[in-house]
Amino acid sequence: MFPKADVVTHEVAIILRTLHRERAFSLLSVVLLALGIGLVSAVFTLIWQVIYAQLPVAQPSQIYTFASNVTHAGREDSDANAQTFSLPTYRYLAAHFTAAAGVIARAGELANLDTPDGPRHLKVDFVSANFFPVLGIKPAIGTVLTHDRLAGMLSYEFWQESFGAQPNVWNSTIHVNGVPFRIIGVTPPGFGGLIAGQVPKLYLPIAAYADVNPGWYEANNWSVRWLNAFVRLPGIISRQRAQAQLQSVYRAAVRQELASGGAASPAYLRELSHEFLSLVPASQGVHSNVESWTAPLKMLQWMTLAILFLASLNVAGLAVVRALKQKSEILIRYAVGASRPAVMRLHFLQTIILSFAGGLLGLLVAHWTVRLLVHLAHLDYNGFLYRSSGWTIAGHWTVVLVTGLLVGLLPAWQATRVDLAGGLNEGALTHSATRSQVLTRRSLAGAQIALSLVLSIAAALFAKSLYRTLSVPVGFNSTHLNVFAIDPKISGNTLPGAKLLFTNLADRLQTTPEVTSVTYGSGGPFPQEMDVALIDSTAAFSQHQSATRNSIGPRYFSTLGIPLRAGREFD
């Protein structure tokens, strides 16, 4: 039989008054539990988002992306670790891949946005006209993008952050690289784009790419791949059937490319003969963090569980000691007719109340721990978390409840082992602890010491590994090295104008007092990734490898302190 609600309410009131009197015990218990629960909740949140969370779109299991078994020669530019297509190839797939309910495309880059807070360099996604309808996304306010070339949509978070969530932002103007765009809507809350870790602040049509990037005239070039494509398959079409049609459609697109007049090398033709385009599930979008984060998160999961277990042992030990000091009170309760289940219930209610208080404080610990880990990984916090927080919140409070029950188990068990027959005489109230009580306390202390030792060793090894990682030579002299970035296309510079800008800027900086050397590069000391082909003409198509590139200026190696083995620098 469960106790009546008024009985439980009365017991809770008694426990709260008792905990208020014993503030030191209460505060220490809440802080310990908050630390353990918060760390476990933070790691669980990251594991959920990295491994299990899906895109906040309609029927995300129907979303697929494309993958190829070869890496093409030619120009490829993308901000995502996903297959890229030229705009003509995407248009052909969208028009002829009839097994799909829709084929969409996107490309992202940083652009200069005039916001109410001033100019900011922020992420912009260029999307196809059917992007939002195919994903089944409805705007929070306004309408979605269609075929209006100079229209844009704000992300919900950006709308709140920079525009104060004002509804009058609809139909206003925002300048992107100096080009005015009319804001026609705001995305729904929680949608962070299709690339995990990179939340766009603004969505613009693909047709506006050349407007935002003056001097870029390669939209219709079949060999310039810069779009990530996604497809929605209707439930009545199997993946195998859709992939069979995809092969014939893509072959036809390749024939169109070859017929467009572009010069195709023998190596490129060889690649096409071996190419196989496949459909890859993308219910999580393009998520490059799955492989790199899974193993570290699982290790952190076990470490945080050990910390929570240690915190629970400490709180349980404090509760046992407190229960021993309250032995006379327990005996009196038994003497006036309290049942053992009632006394156990008091202990469980007490630890559950402490655990829930720790859970509330643990929400802050979890929030800031997640932000710290995401920051250390150089990810956008809003983009990394899709805000599908129902399961993570449920998991948090489940941990809170289980922790409260486990912590209360030992003191409740001790309370039922009181010698009621001889307990009320004066000697029983003053004698030392029994052998079983001493054994219990020693067992708790031994477990705490053993677990603390294991965690200390693990923390020391982790700190040593972190130190070694931070001490790895970067290959250049970073002492007194200052790096900054500029984007010449924002001010409308063409390629000759950009070259002149960098040359003049380097010359002016070189004459500045205390500046010993100046250079420039497309990626600074950290080159950009791209795909390159081996020069060996006899190499097979599979010899294309991923590499890095950096377009650099004069005195680059001497400025960065990189010694040359032979030869000379670029002039």
Side-chain angles (χ1 to χ4, degrees):
M1 292 288 294
F2 290 101
K4 295 182 179 179
D6 56 342
V7 174
V8 176
T9 303
H10 178 67
E11 292 175 344
V12 169
I14 293 174
I15 293 170
L16 291 176
R17 286 197 297 269
T18 304
L19 293 176
H20 183 263
R21 288 196 307 268
E22 302 177 0
R23 296 185 184 89
F25 166 76
S26 303
L27 181 61
L28 183 58
S29 300
V30 169
V31 170
L32 287 173
L33 292 174
L35 178 63
I37 293 171
L39 292 177
V40 170
S41 181
V43 176
F44 173 75
T45 298
L46 292 176
I47 288 176
W48 175 262
Q49 300 295 344
V50 169
I51 301 176
Y52 302 108
Q54 295 186 324
L55 291 169
V57 301
Q59 296 178 304
S61 60
Q62 296 182 356
I63 304 298
Y64 291 81
T65 188
F66 300 95
S68 174
N69 62 325
V70 301
T71 301
H72 292 299
R75 178 178 167 185
E76 183 174 346
D77 189 14
S78 177
D79 63 335
N81 186 21
Q83 181 71 29
T84 54
F85 297 92
S86 66
L87 182 58
T89 302
Y90 158 70
R91 287 173 175 167
Y92 193 92
L93 291 175
H96 297 86
F97 190 21
T98 57
V103 183
I104 59 177
R106 52 79 55 195
E109 70 167 45
L110 292 172
N112 192 50
L113 274 62
D114 289 335
T115 72
D117 303 324
R120 297 176 63 187
H121 211 46
L122 299 172
K123 184 68 178 293
V124 176
D125 256 21
F126 296 86
V127 300
S128 55
N130 62 341
F131 184 83
F132 292 101
V134 168
L135 292 176
I137 293 178
K138 297 181 180 179
I141 62 172
T143 59
V144 297
L145 294 175
T146 52
H147 296 281
D148 189 346
R149 185 170 60 86
L150 295 178
M153 283 186 71
L154 301 177
S155 73
Y156 188 87
E157 289 74 16
F158 184 51
W159 176 52
Q160 286 188 317
E161 169 193 340
S162 295
F163 296 87
Q166 295 295 325
N168 58 4
V169 72
W170 180 74
N171 217 28
S172 63
T173 299
I174 184 171
H175 287 79
V176 183
N177 289 357
V179 180
F181 289 86
R182 183 170 58 92
I183 299 174
I184 63 171
V186 176
T187 65
F191 179 70
L194 298 181
I195 311 300
Q198 302 180 26
V199 58
K201 306 300 183 183
L202 180 69
Y203 295 87
L204 298 177
I206 287 177
Y209 193 86
D211 298 304
V212 175
N213 295 275
W216 193 81
Y217 304 110
E218 299 186 290
N220 294 315
N221 190 329
W222 286 81
S223 65
V224 177
R225 298 173 180 83
W226 56 289
L227 293 173
N228 305 127
F230 296 82
V231 60
R232 177 183 289 278
L233 296 183
I236 59 174
I237 302 293
S238 68
R239 179 180 171 185
Q240 292 76 13
R241 177 182 169 188
Q243 190 154 302
Q245 188 195 42
L246 174 63
Q247 300 312 311
S248 61
V249 172
Y250 185 65
R251 289 293 180 188
V254 169
R255 289 193 293 270
Q256 287 282 100
E257 177 181 354
L258 297 177
S260 65
S265 65
Y268 182 56
L269 294 176
R270 231 177 10 252
E271 292 168 359
L272 293 180
S273 65
H274 292 88
E275 186 172 15
F276 180 83
L277 208 61
S278 58
L279 293 170
V280 179
S283 60
Q284 292 183 280
V286 175
H287 209 319
S288 59
N289 303 305
V290 173
E291 294 183 0
S292 59
W293 276 61
T294 299
L297 284 177
K298 288 183 177 179
M299 181 182 69
L300 281 176
Q301 180 185 34
W302 290 110
M303 291 183 65
T304 54
L305 284 173
I307 292 174
L308 177 58
F309 185 59
L310 179 60
S312 301
L313 276 179
N314 282 310
V315 175
L318 292 172
V320 167
V321 173
R322 180 173 173 272
L324 291 175
K325 292 180 179 180
Q326 294 176 331
K327 185 176 180 180
S328 59
E329 178 184 336
I330 295 173
L331 288 171
I332 293 173
R333 288 182 180 275
Y334 282 136
V336 298
S339 64
R340 293 184 185 272
V343 174
M344 292 181 66
R345 185 170 66 245
L346 279 174
H347 286 280
F348 278 120
L349 283 175
Q350 173 184 277
T351 55
I352 288 175
I353 289 172
L354 290 173
S355 184
F356 268 79
L360 290 173
L361 184 59
L363 288 173
L364 290 176
V365 175
H367 174 75
W368 290 110
T369 301
V370 169
R371 293 190 73 95
L372 175 63
L373 292 174
V374 171
H375 173 73
L376 292 175
H378 303 289
L379 296 174
D380 189 314
Y381 177 76
N382 293 319
F384 182 73
L385 299 179
Y386 289 129
R387 296 178 183 264
S388 55
S389 56
W391 285 103
T392 56
I393 293 297
H396 175 84
W397 291 111
T398 300
V399 171
V400 168
L401 180 60
V402 172
T403 300
L405 293 174
L406 291 177
V407 170
L409 188 61
L410 192 57
W413 175 71
Q414 283 282 353
T416 63
R417 304 182 71 248
V418 174
D419 182 10
L420 186 58
L424 290 176
N425 61 67
E426 186 177 354
L429 293 176
T430 57
H431 70 60
S432 60
T434 64
R435 182 178 300 177
S436 63
Q437 292 167 347
V438 172
L439 181 61
T440 299
R441 281 183 286 178
R442 287 180 177 177
S443 299
L444 278 174
Q448 291 170 2
I449 293 172
L451 191 57
S452 298
L453 182 61
V454 171
L455 287 176
S456 298
I457 294 174
L461 292 174
F462 181 79
K464 185 177 181 180
S465 299
L466 180 61
Y467 173 77
R468 287 184 174 180
T469 301
L470 296 176
S471 304
V472 172
V474 292
F476 59 90
N477 184 8
S478 60
T479 306
H480 304 302
L481 178 67
N482 293 293
V483 180
F484 64 93
I486 58 175
D487 192 347
K489 66 175 178 290
I490 292 178
S491 55
N493 280 296
T494 59
L495 183 58
K499 290 181 178 180
L500 184 61
L501 171 66
F502 280 105
T503 302
N504 292 339
L505 182 61
D507 292 340
R508 293 286 296 273
L509 289 174
Q510 189 67 56
T511 60
T512 304
E514 299 183 358
V515 174
T516 58
S517 183
V518 179
T519 189
Y520 47 87
S522 60
F526 309 105
Q528 301 171 340
E529 291 188 357
M530 70 172 299
D531 291 310
V532 298
L534 297 181
I535 300 177
D536 184 4
S537 60
T538 62
F541 72 95
S542 60
Q543 292 298 310
H544 288 276
Q545 298 179 2
S546 179
T548 56
R549 67 176 170 89
N550 199 349
S551 302
I552 62 175
R555 302 181 300 277
Y556 180 84
F557 296 101
S558 60
T559 302
L560 268 66
I562 302 174
L564 297 181
R565 292 294 184 90
R568 62 174 179 83
E569 287 206 71
F570 296 158
D571 52 21

